Amino acid sequence: MPLTFELCPGRTIGGDHPCFIIAEIGQNHQGDVEIAKKMIKMAKDCGADCAKFQKSELEYKFSKRALERPYDSKNSWGKTYGEHKRHLEFSHEQYRELQKYATEVGIFFTASGMDEMAVEFLHKLNVPFFKVGSGDTNNFPYLEKTAKKGRPMVVSSGMQSMETMRQVYKTVKKHNENFAILQCTSAYPLEPENVNLRVITEYQKEFPDIPIGYSGHESGINISVAAVALGAKVIERHITLDKTWKGSDHAASLEPSELTELVCSIRLVERALGSRVKRMLPCEKPCHDKLGKSVVAKVKIPKGTVLTLDMLAVKVAEPMGVAAQDIFRLVGKTVVEDVEEDESVTPEVVDSYGKKAKC
């Protein structure tokens, strides 16, 4: 069974524990704290476990030239990429305000630390776990420093190879056993043929002692629900209040009704996954009593006859006789009473049926 650990206070993931659902607000808040609060409340109301943001210290994440480059996209909030990112980046004080609000509404709060200084801030903020975005998954100095903080980690794997993920696993595991890896493809929105849900099962084979999850950027909820059916223990999806808003992530995000449906569908699938033990359930007994088949006499069988297979048939019978699956056990046994044609062959009329041989 995969390792289980407490991702957030009182909330364990892995094994047979419920899937942990992360509502990724990211930067879909338009740079507005009040919109961000509405999105936190939306995540809570829709049943998600955690509201997540993206925190950057821009001078540590980007080079000067990267921040100075022109940015004339329809999604731009400024003339340069730096102006655009500064519009969307909340201050430390605003993060404390959002964290306080999330606590008030009763939902876990965290963020992806998009650079090492952002991780330092989030550590001081005392977030329950660190999220590693795909852009930093192969950033091994960052991974090592983050793992050494000792907080649980959730690591996305977009843009990476299996060989890189093996190295990621070894790097984090050396310093921190409490982490999960998410299958992810970094495209927005993501086409179904590029999702590769089968990677989830490959990760389960490669890393059997950690929970595996899924971070999705596709439209709709069906693929994410399928990921849970494959055993995903963490699901992360971007959310929005309006898919038409400015920003490249909105088209791949879930609106409130979709997030609600996703949560409900995941919980339904978890109920349906049920037990690993195959047996007849109590709920099946009425159907079995009405339509379950058992052994009957194909011909009249006189008392003292040694049974052969051609004397027996399987039918829905009244009363029920020997169970259909046991027909071969009757061959070679002797009947102790006459059995009329089409009558049930009950255990009582067969000598030593079901009895253990004496030593």
Side-chain angles (χ1 to χ4, degrees):
M1 182 174 292
L3 173 73
T4 63
F5 64 88
E6 193 174 70
L7 184 63
C8 296
R11 185 63 163 84
T12 300
I13 67 165
D16 290 328
H17 293 279
C19 178
F20 189 85
I21 302 172
I22 300 173
E24 165 71 293
I25 295 169
Q27 295 193 322
N28 280 354
H29 48 67
Q30 313 298 86
D32 186 322
V33 169
E34 293 309 311
I35 291 177
K37 288 181 178 179
K38 288 180 181 178
M39 296 183 78
I40 291 172
K41 185 65 163 55
M42 164 199 165
K44 169 63 178 179
D45 291 345
C46 294
D49 294 294
C50 180
K52 191 182 81 66
F53 290 80
Q54 295 173 3
K55 182 71 185 92
S56 299
E57 303 294 344
L58 296 179
E59 287 71 24
Y60 289 89
K61 180 179 178 182
F62 298 99
S63 70
K64 288 182 180 180
R65 288 185 65 181
L67 291 172
E68 291 169 356
R69 71 184 184 222
Y71 192 55
D72 57 2
S73 163
K74 65 178 182 179
N75 295 314
S76 175
W77 292 96
K79 293 181 180 178
T80 66
Y81 197 64
E83 288 178 3
H84 166 75
K85 296 300 289 185
R86 288 185 186 96
H87 174 83
L88 293 172
E89 193 62 48
F90 289 141
S91 68
H92 289 190
E93 190 53 43
Q94 286 172 318
Y95 260 87
R96 294 186 186 96
E97 181 182 350
L98 292 173
Q99 184 186 48
K100 182 174 181 289
Y101 180 75
T103 300
E104 289 171 357
V105 302
I107 190 170
F108 294 117
F109 174 94
T110 195
S112 297
M114 308 300 278
D115 53 80
E116 290 180 15
M117 291 307 295
V119 170
E120 292 295 333
F121 166 67
L122 293 172
H123 187 53
K124 291 177 182 176
L125 197 63
N126 199 28
V127 295
F129 68 93
F130 292 129
K131 169 66 198 301
V132 178
S134 294
D136 280 303
T137 298
N138 61 350
N139 182 351
F140 291 102
Y142 165 102
L143 275 183
E144 192 168 65
K145 289 178 182 178
T146 302
K148 285 180 177 179
K149 298 291 185 188
R151 296 186 187 276
M153 296 169 64
V154 173
V155 184
S156 278
S157 60
M159 303 178 286
Q160 312 304 328
S161 67
M162 182 61 85
E163 186 52 45
T164 298
M165 294 313 299
R166 291 187 186 106
Q167 190 175 348
V168 168
Y169 170 85
K170 291 176 184 176
T171 300
V172 177
K173 190 78 170 179
K174 182 179 178 182
H175 305 287
N176 189 341
E177 290 193 344
N178 295 331
F179 69 104
I181 288 176
L182 310 185
Q183 161 57 359
C184 176
T185 303
S186 298
Y188 308 81
L190 175 61
E191 294 301 318
E193 56 268 26
N194 294 319
V195 171
N196 294 334
L197 285 181
R198 288 191 176 97
V199 174
I200 291 173
T201 57
E202 292 306 304
Y203 281 162
Q204 290 165 342
K205 295 174 189 174
E206 285 278 343
F207 316 122
D209 58 347
I210 64 170
I212 301 301
Y214 174 68
S215 178
H217 306 122
E218 72 277 0
S219 299
I221 70 166
N222 294 340
I223 289 170
S224 294
V225 174
V228 175
L230 285 175
K233 302 303 180 183
V234 178
I235 291 289
E236 178 184 69
R237 289 297 304 271
H238 286 253
I239 64 169
T240 182
L241 295 176
D242 188 339
K243 291 185 183 184
T244 67
W245 277 355
K246 182 191 295 187
S248 57
D249 287 349
H250 290 286
S253 300
L254 301 178
E255 291 181 333
S257 62
E258 293 175 301
L259 180 59
T260 298
E261 186 180 0
L262 174 65
V263 173
C264 291
S265 297
I266 286 174
R267 300 307 177 216
L268 180 64
V269 165
E270 287 176 329
R271 286 172 59 198
L273 285 172
S275 170
R276 293 175 175 83
V277 177
K278 181 58 184 172
R279 59 187 176 88
M280 188 171 76
L281 299 174
C283 66
E284 296 177 292
K285 192 172 186 307
C287 183
H288 176 263
D289 290 348
K290 181 180 179 182
L291 298 174
K293 292 188 174 181
S294 58
V295 179
V296 300
K298 187 185 291 186
V299 294
K300 180 176 179 178
I301 307 173
K303 177 180 177 180
T305 301
V306 176
L307 293 172
T308 59
L309 191 60
D310 59 4
M311 299 175 185
L312 306 172
V314 173
K315 293 185 178 182
V316 176
E318 180 62 37
M320 277 192 144
V322 170
Q325 68 265 24
D326 289 343
I327 189 170
F328 297 115
R329 291 178 57 196
L330 296 177
V331 175
K333 290 187 167 52
T334 304
V335 294
V336 296
E337 297 178 18
D338 291 342
V339 182
E340 297 298 322
E341 181 182 348
D342 208 41
E343 275 191 0
S344 300
V345 178
T346 60
E348 296 78 23
V349 304
V350 181
D351 184 38
S352 71
Y353 172 77
K355 297 178 182 177
K356 293 183 180 178
K358 294 182 179 180
C359 297

